[in-house]
Amino acid sequence: MQKPAPQTLLALWLALQNSQVRLTKAENQALEKITHHLKQHKESANAIEKELMAVIKSNANLSQAFEQEQTKIDDTNSWIIDRLITHLQSEISLGEGNKNQAPVEAEQKANFPEKEVDDEAFALACALVDELKLGWEEEWQTAAILEVI
């Protein structure tokens, strides 16, 4: 399954931070050419992904680091989606008659201070996914924005 271009680029950038990854002159030049093209034509990011993946797969250390970073990104996306589903289910179970929940929320925060920290982390994660455009569909993005507000 092909990943959205921002996720691939993020995984590549993170993989290049790995001290075990060394690029040959040809690989470096190929990546420079690709990034130069992407900088000028951001809309073609998905189309150029095959060329990018060919460079990544040609270097064993880069390929391994890239796969590890992609897994971390996928795990983060999965965690965010799980959190969104949990929060959506909570909202749905409240029903229309229980929209005023300020007293309940204050009591929950007093009883469960870690929930506030968890919510802050969730808000930060949502903001990062939004900022990095990691391939969210509009409904997830809207749900995350509504949850943060």
Side-chain angles (χ1 to χ4, degrees):
M1 181 174 106
Q2 185 177 17
K3 303 283 182 203
Q7 286 179 281
T8 301
L9 295 174
L10 177 60
L12 174 60
W13 180 77
L14 291 169
L16 288 171
Q17 309 307 306
N18 186 315
S19 63
Q20 299 298 314
V21 174
R22 300 277 188 253
L23 299 177
T24 65
K25 187 175 181 176
E27 292 165 342
N28 198 39
Q29 289 173 340
L31 287 176
E32 283 179 9
K33 178 184 166 195
I34 291 169
T35 55
H36 178 74
H37 178 81
L38 285 172
K39 191 165 189 120
Q40 293 180 348
H41 307 283
K42 290 178 181 76
E43 70 283 351
S44 68
N46 286 327
I48 204 163
E49 196 154 0
K50 285 183 185 177
E51 187 178 344
L52 184 63
M53 292 306 298
V55 174
I56 292 169
K57 290 183 189 288
S58 72
N59 182 312
N61 287 338
L62 176 59
S63 183
Q64 181 180 7
F66 176 81
E67 292 296 326
Q68 289 171 346
E69 296 304 333
Q70 269 196 324
T71 299
K72 290 177 190 175
I73 292 168
D74 289 343
D75 290 347
T76 301
N77 284 344
S78 178
W79 177 83
I80 290 169
I81 290 170
D82 287 345
R83 292 282 298 159
L84 284 170
I85 290 170
T86 299
H87 286 280
L88 288 170
Q89 288 173 332
S90 176
E91 282 294 314
I92 292 167
S93 68
L94 287 174
E96 290 297 315
N98 296 326
K99 287 297 179 184
N100 184 8
Q101 42 173 272
V104 173
E105 286 181 8
E107 182 181 332
Q108 287 175 340
K109 286 182 181 178
N111 293 333
F112 303 104
E114 69 277 0
K115 182 182 183 326
E116 186 173 340
V117 173
D118 193 34
D119 286 346
E120 289 173 17
F122 176 67
L124 177 61
C126 290
L128 286 172
V129 169
D130 185 44
E131 181 180 328
L132 296 172
K133 296 181 174 86
L134 294 177
W136 283 18
E137 296 197 16
E138 188 175 329
E139 68 183 79
W140 290 114
Q141 193 170 10
T142 301
I145 291 168
L146 291 174
E147 178 62 34
V148 171
I149 295 173

